[in-house]
Amino acid sequence: MQPSSPFPGALSRRTMLAGAAAMAGAAATTAHAANAPAEAAAPGAAGRRDRVVVFRNVRLFGAAKPTDLVVVDGLVADGPAPRGAKVVDGGGRIALPSLVDAHIHPDKTTWGGSWVSRRPASTIADFVAQDVELFRSQHRPVAERAYGLMAHAVTRGTRAMRAHADVAPAYGLAGVEGVGEAREQLRHALDVQIVAFPQHGVIRTPGTAQLLEKAARTGAIDMIGGIDPIGFDEALDEQLDLVFGIADRHGVGVDIHLHDQGEKGIKAMRGIIDRTRALSLAGKVTVSHVFCLPELPDRELGSIAADLGDQDIALTTVAPSASLVLPIARLREHGVRVGLGSDGVRDSWSPFGNADMLHRAHLLGWVTDVRIDEELKNCYRVAAHGGADVMSLAHADFEPGAPADFVLVRGECLPQVVVDMPRRDMVVHGGVVVARDGEFLD
């Protein structure tokens, strides 16, 4: 009944948080379609209607022929809908998997607030100093600002995100706590992993290591971060030993920012690979940005990609430019999980950013100069399934048992959607409509 996925070779992960599905089913009665959808329920079937929803007249992946998508307890079901199911009319729109933002900084954002004029900056230290000034100047707490941005991301079709929150003596754990509060408020609409990110350095800023340890010990985070162990912290072994030691002691993952290029970046990558192997942390480590890889000769790239694949170390890119975007296809040849993220959004680092992962998929195509339909589909695939792989989430691929996380848009086909970026008319999370016509539904 289902058309084949346009994403051949995608990993099929079926790990879904049962709690999220249960909450999604409990909230189903709030769902409405964009064009006054018809709803039907048998008398006395209120409980059943909460569990089962039929999204009628949708075109999966842009297929020519519309179909009905049956959702039971937040998961895509096989076969016809039972009697008494809630019905939402999709109006012939294209249904696409919701997107995953594998790298974003919601604690830093000024989204929804007054315009901020930024000063020139050229080094990480310059930006860090402006981070602190901006943090102190904000009247809205982190939780409020992060919630506004994260809810906005939902309206653009984001189902999950990995949120990096600054941890430093200048803030304590305010960033982690604020993003955690926003995560709790949005638990029905968005899956969130939180990284304790030492933006000011792990070693160069005394007191940071103790804060990272506390964040992990209290269970407030999912991952421990790091940043340029050589180029910024100037303490390769000391930083990596500390970060990996915390992860190993407390059973959390690792996600390290690596902007260093050339030999500094490659040496750091080798250190990360070695510690992942030594501590048996395969599948729990991510390296973000990784600007040292795109410049490598093919043979050297293949060698390090093989090691990354062997240790199941994931990578993320924000597609900042043609020269710095990761060579995704080459990495995937070695089984490396690669996700796409939006990075900072209207913070002290940049006035740009919008937390719209469809726009980021569009930018990925733009900077890599793609032209043909299959390449455009692959850009969407990285933004949807690539990020899910990085976060170890099930693919929202409309297969039976997949999470019912999808967006409905007007369009002709998937490649055209990537290029034109139409409005997300409806966003569904766990079978529940959580946004409609660009507005978040509380």
Side-chain angles (χ1 to χ4, degrees):
M1 182 177 108
Q2 314 290 359
S4 61
S5 168
F7 306 139
L11 296 176
S12 180
R13 296 177 183 267
R14 294 297 178 218
T15 56
M16 181 69 178
L17 294 176
M23 287 184 287
T29 55
T30 65
H32 295 283
N35 288 331
E39 300 181 9
R48 189 174 186 81
R49 185 177 61 202
D50 288 350
R51 296 180 51 245
V52 185
V53 185
V54 179
F55 292 88
R56 184 153 292 164
N57 192 23
V58 297
R59 297 161 49 216
L60 305 186
F61 297 112
K65 184 178 179 181
T67 188
D68 291 348
L69 184 66
V70 180
V71 176
V72 178
D73 292 336
L75 304 177
V76 174
D78 198 9
R83 288 176 55 85
K86 182 182 181 69
V87 176
V88 177
D89 184 6
R93 292 172 177 81
I94 297 176
L96 295 172
S98 294
L99 301 160
V100 176
D101 193 329
H103 187 103
I104 187 171
H105 295 264
D107 65 312
K108 294 176 180 284
T109 193
T110 64
W111 186 268
S114 301
W115 178 256
V116 173
S117 297
R118 294 152 184 87
R119 301 191 311 278
S122 57
T123 67
I124 292 179
D126 292 338
F127 285 111
V128 163
Q130 292 190 31
D131 272 342
V132 176
E133 292 176 15
L134 184 62
F135 175 82
R136 291 172 176 168
S137 71
Q138 292 297 297
H139 301 296
R140 297 179 299 151
V142 172
E144 181 181 335
R145 292 184 283 114
Y147 173 87
L149 180 64
M150 293 158 70
H152 168 77
V154 171
T155 70
R156 283 1 184 213
T158 294
R159 62 181 279 229
M161 63 172 55
R162 181 172 288 174
H164 294 255
D166 281 11
V167 169
Y171 319 115
L173 295 181
V176 165
E177 293 164 353
V179 174
E181 185 176 333
R183 172 171 65 176
E184 178 65 18
Q185 291 179 281
L186 292 164
R187 66 187 185 277
H188 65 291
L190 185 68
D191 296 325
V192 181
Q193 293 176 353
I194 300 177
V195 184
F197 173 46
Q199 176 75 82
H200 298 189
V202 178
I203 306 304
R204 67 182 285 157
T205 305
T208 300
Q210 291 81 359
L211 288 168
L212 293 175
E213 184 86 42
K214 180 179 179 181
R217 185 177 63 251
T218 59
I221 61 168
D222 304 282
M223 312 193 84
I224 289 287
I227 181 170
D228 296 324
I230 300 176
F232 184 59
D233 231 8
E234 300 180 343
L236 172 66
D237 291 331
E238 193 175 357
Q239 182 192 128
L240 293 184
D241 286 347
L242 193 149
V243 167
F244 275 82
I246 293 174
D248 186 43
R249 283 193 298 277
H250 298 287
V252 297
V254 172
D255 192 328
I256 294 179
H257 281 58
L258 186 59
H259 311 94
D260 283 344
Q261 296 177 255
E263 184 57 32
K264 289 181 180 179
I266 297 303
K267 189 174 181 180
M269 284 296 294
R270 290 297 180 191
I272 291 167
I273 292 169
D274 290 345
R275 285 164 177 80
T276 303
R277 182 184 293 112
L279 294 173
S280 300
L281 290 177
K284 298 186 68 175
V285 176
T286 301
V287 189
S288 296
H289 303 305
V290 210
F291 293 158
C292 59
L293 291 189
E295 64 189 9
L296 290 180
D298 187 69
R299 178 174 293 184
E300 190 174 355
L301 174 62
S303 174
I304 200 164
D307 288 339
L308 291 170
D310 180 62
Q311 292 303 309
D312 195 16
I313 296 173
L315 307 179
T316 64
T317 183
V318 299
S321 67
S323 63
L324 295 178
V325 65
L326 288 174
I328 297 171
R330 187 78 173 92
L331 290 163
R332 287 186 64 83
E333 290 175 8
H334 294 274
V336 180
R337 295 173 289 136
V338 184
L340 186 65
S342 58
D343 209 10
V345 179
R346 297 194 188 179
D347 53 26
S348 66
W349 291 63
S350 174
F352 293 101
N354 56 17
D356 185 337
M357 285 303 296
L358 178 55
H359 181 230
R360 189 61 54 167
H362 174 100
L363 290 176
L364 175 63
W366 180 275
V367 301
T368 54
D369 194 28
V370 305
R371 297 182 63 251
I372 64 176
D373 284 1
E374 194 61 29
E375 293 172 332
L376 289 164
K377 291 178 183 179
N378 283 337
C379 290
Y380 196 92
R381 173 186 175 277
V382 174
H385 299 333
D389 290 339
V390 169
M391 292 183 63
S392 297
L393 299 174
H395 287 184
D397 54 12
F398 301 116
E399 293 295 325
D405 297 346
F406 57 91
V407 296
L408 297 185
V409 298
R410 295 184 183 274
E412 183 178 351
C413 59
L414 177 52
Q416 175 258 325
V417 168
V418 172
V419 171
D420 289 344
M421 300 177 289
R423 183 182 70 179
R424 279 31 53 97
D425 290 341
M426 188 183 301
V427 181
V428 178
H429 188 77
V432 178
V433 179
V434 293
R436 187 174 63 248
D437 298 334
E439 297 296 326
F440 183 68
L441 303 178
D442 292 321

